[in-house]
Amino acid sequence: MKRIAFLVSGSGTNMENLIKRIKAEEICAEAAVVISNKPGVKAIEKAAALGVKTVVIDHKAYADRTAFDQALSECLEKHRVDIIVLAGFMRILTEGFVKKYHGRLINIHPALLPAFPGAHAIKDAWDAKVKETGVTVHFVDTGVDTGPVILQRKIRVLPDDTLETLEARIHSLEYEIYPQALNLVLSGK
Ligand code: GAR
């Protein structure tokens, strides 16, 4: 069974959803480890509550991105990880790291990439008054929120939407498509 590492930085709701689906055998994989680059985040509490091994690699303790990514890579090797799932991991990875894990590193982004990359995609799309937005799951390459798309799903921005209702609908869509995309990757499709 393929071993998955989840990389997180915040609330961890996508990670929690995916681990629950692994436990429910809707995703045929093993949750090997959850790694956060920030101490004290909700994602770590959630992973621990689900009984999954957690590791904090505080990026502030490392001199630069290369040193941090080296520590990350060592941790992934130690846990014999096959696939790395970024789930709200808000840190740019170095080219060396991305190349090493080519084809095994996936990310979810709350917009229809290539539109609205970056850390505030839902608000950026809202401020741009788009009529539709959505969610993208993609392989990670050396750019920020770029790389081949695995799955993408659109939603319409409704006339009575607020930023909050739009955010909630985007997150619900994430919880649907990230498991589907991960299953596609696991099955080699
Ligand atoms: C998710 O909406 C994810 O798409 C987004 O961060 C949120 C993390 O929430 N990622 C990005 O914006 C990546 N550029 P979560 O920690 O509750 O899963």
Side-chain angles (χ1 to χ4, degrees), residues 8-15 43 46 87-90 107-110 117-122 135 145 170-171 174-175:
V8 297
S9 304
S11 56
T13 62
N14 276 286
M15 168 222 74
K46 288 184 171 122
F89 183 68
M90 296 306 202
N107 182 43
I108 189 159
H109 185 75
H120 310 285
I122 305 177
V135 173
D145 297 322
I170 287 194
H171 291 314
E174 291 190 313
Y175 307 148

Side-chain angles (χ1 to χ4, degrees), residues 19-92:
I19 293 174
K20 283 184 175 166
R21 287 174 188 250
I22 288 173
K23 286 180 180 279
E25 298 182 3
E26 291 169 35
I27 298 171
C28 184
E30 199 175 327
V33 62
V34 172
I35 305 171
S36 173
N37 66 307
K38 285 187 184 173
V41 294
K42 284 262 178 252
I44 287 292
E45 278 174 37
K46 288 184 171 122
L50 287 162
V52 177
K53 165 89 193 203
T54 63
V55 176
V56 174
I57 305 176
D58 186 348
H59 66 269
K60 290 191 181 141
Y62 294 86
D64 54 26
R65 285 186 194 280
T66 306
F68 171 80
D69 285 3
Q70 178 61 34
L72 187 55
S73 193
E74 282 165 16
C75 182
L76 294 168
E77 272 161 37
K78 181 177 161 202
H79 290 90
R80 305 185 321 283
V81 165
D82 300 300
I83 292 175
I84 302 153
V85 168
L86 308 189
F89 183 68
M90 296 306 202
R91 204 170 157 77
I92 294 165

